[in-house]
Amino acid sequence: MTITANMVKELRERSGAGMMECKKALTEVQGDMEAAADWLRKQGLAKADKKASRVAAEGRIVLARDGAKAVLIEVNSETDFVAKDENFLKFADSVAQTALKSGTRDVEALKGSSINGSTVEEARQALVAKVGENVQLRRLVAVDAKSQLGSYVHGGRIGVLVEMEGGNEELARGIAMHVAAMNPPYVSPDTVPAEIVAKEKEIALAQVKDSGKPPEILEKMISGKLRKTLAEMSLTGQPYVMDTTISVEDALRKAGAKVQAFHRMAVGEGIEKKEDDFAAEVMKQAGLA
């Protein structure tokens, strides 16, 4: 299989490893991106294992909240210019309020809801005609917390809702800000899926198996590496961004609180973006290509 420059670039962004190491990893596994990332980690070459999201869509994450009830909704546009347009912002806010009041948890159902004398879908179509760009309601998440609800929106680009038992609203908001900043995949180490734990253990074993240590020492080394990795990918195991001298778990324990769930939404995540080659475009326009 041919290993392309774009494949190497994607793996470099994801792993933090060097160009030649990434190319070798992809060659070793016949171009399988997931397997290549694991191969780098087993060789100890990956500096980071960040899931790269090639973001295409612009738009806004909008929050609507009433006490312990809240809605986050993503409204997309083609450009950031339109995402800052007054008409777009007004539409996004109105849609979020409509979702909150209607109690719907489904985007398709939301499109039929009433908004300012028309349906949400009719209002969307009218906005498209006004701004000259495609506008879409992509997704929403609705929460009705039983205890504390933390909410936070960062610059209209990232939104978080945190459902927490015990504690207070200040802590719940702080945890929401932490989730926005650190984007942990899981709440706690014991909520990490078994298949992920097994893969991480395999990687830890590959990293230490040639150390020459006795089996009982190897087992301790593997357990330590695994424990550290699971903590890093879990909300409760991470240093708390509001006070990095303690962990999130410490902050929760001090307040007698427990995070039941969190929901994080970022504009355009997971949507592939078409990358324009401006140099090629200029040459084409000039008749040189």
Side-chain angles (χ1 to χ4, degrees):
M1 177 180 179
T2 302
I3 306 302
T4 67
N6 279 339
M7 292 168 68
V8 174
K9 177 175 178 288
E10 181 180 345
L11 185 57
R12 285 192 70 193
E13 291 174 350
R14 173 171 174 164
S15 68
M19 183 184 301
M20 296 309 296
E21 288 89 350
C22 289
K23 185 174 181 180
K24 183 178 180 181
L26 287 163
T27 302
E28 287 285 335
V29 298
Q30 291 77 50
D32 186 316
M33 193 64 64
E34 289 292 332
D38 287 346
W39 187 91
L40 284 169
R41 294 184 63 198
K42 289 176 181 178
Q43 303 304 312
L45 296 172
K47 299 174 185 175
D49 187 28
K50 299 178 179 178
K51 290 284 186 181
S53 296
R54 295 172 60 188
V55 179
E58 296 296 336
R60 302 284 291 186
I61 303 296
V62 187
L63 167 71
R65 178 173 175 176
D66 181 11
K69 293 183 179 181
V71 168
L72 280 177
I73 186 164
E74 179 182 6
V75 185
N76 293 135
S77 61
E78 294 180 45
T79 65
D80 186 52
F81 178 78
V82 164
K84 296 175 181 177
D85 178 81
E86 181 180 350
N87 297 294
F88 179 92
L89 295 174
K90 185 177 179 181
F91 169 76
D93 286 336
S94 296
V95 169
Q97 289 295 333
T98 298
L100 180 66
K101 292 173 183 175
S102 68
T104 183
R105 293 172 179 259
D106 179 76
V107 167
E108 291 304 314
L110 177 61
K111 291 177 181 179
S113 299
S114 177
I115 179 174
N116 301 325
S118 64
T119 66
V120 169
E121 175 59 17
E122 289 168 343
R124 184 194 69 81
Q125 292 175 1
L127 179 62
V128 169
K130 181 174 289 188
V131 300
E133 279 192 16
N134 188 20
V135 174
Q136 291 292 332
L137 308 182
R138 186 183 177 204
R139 53 184 172 159
L140 70 84
V141 59
V143 166
D144 186 356
K146 298 295 183 287
S147 181
Q148 294 292 342
L149 173 65
S151 60
Y152 176 68
V153 175
H154 184 76
R157 305 288 300 180
I158 299 172
V160 176
L161 295 176
V162 172
E163 299 176 69
M164 194 174 78
E165 180 181 332
N168 54 48
E169 188 170 342
E170 181 181 359
L171 177 60
R173 177 175 169 78
I175 299 297
M177 293 176 74
H178 177 100
V179 172
M182 304 307 294
N183 192 19
Y186 308 104
V187 173
S188 60
D190 59 8
T191 62
V192 179
E195 61 270 23
I196 301 296
V197 175
K199 186 171 86 168
E200 293 299 333
K201 187 171 183 178
E202 179 187 344
I203 289 170
L205 174 60
Q207 291 174 342
V208 303
K209 67 179 181 179
D210 296 326
S211 65
K213 303 289 185 182
E216 63 273 16
I217 300 299
L218 281 179
E219 187 60 36
K220 289 181 179 179
M221 291 173 66
I222 292 169
S223 295
K225 283 179 172 288
L226 183 60
R227 188 164 51 250
K228 183 174 183 291
T229 299
L230 297 183
E232 288 173 348
M233 65 173 58
S234 302
L235 168 64
T236 58
Q238 296 177 341
Y240 186 29
V241 294
M242 308 301 286
D243 180 359
T244 55
T245 64
I246 63 174
S247 68
V248 172
E249 184 176 20
D250 293 333
L252 291 167
R253 187 185 300 115
K254 184 179 179 181
K258 180 180 180 181
V259 172
Q260 298 168 313
F262 64 79
H263 313 271
R264 185 182 188 274
M265 192 181 288
V267 169
E269 60 190 346
I271 302 178
E272 186 173 349
K273 183 176 182 179
K274 178 180 180 296
E275 296 184 8
D276 295 317
D277 186 338
F278 292 107
E281 184 66 25
V282 170
M283 292 182 69
K284 182 178 179 181
Q285 291 292 331
L288 300 176

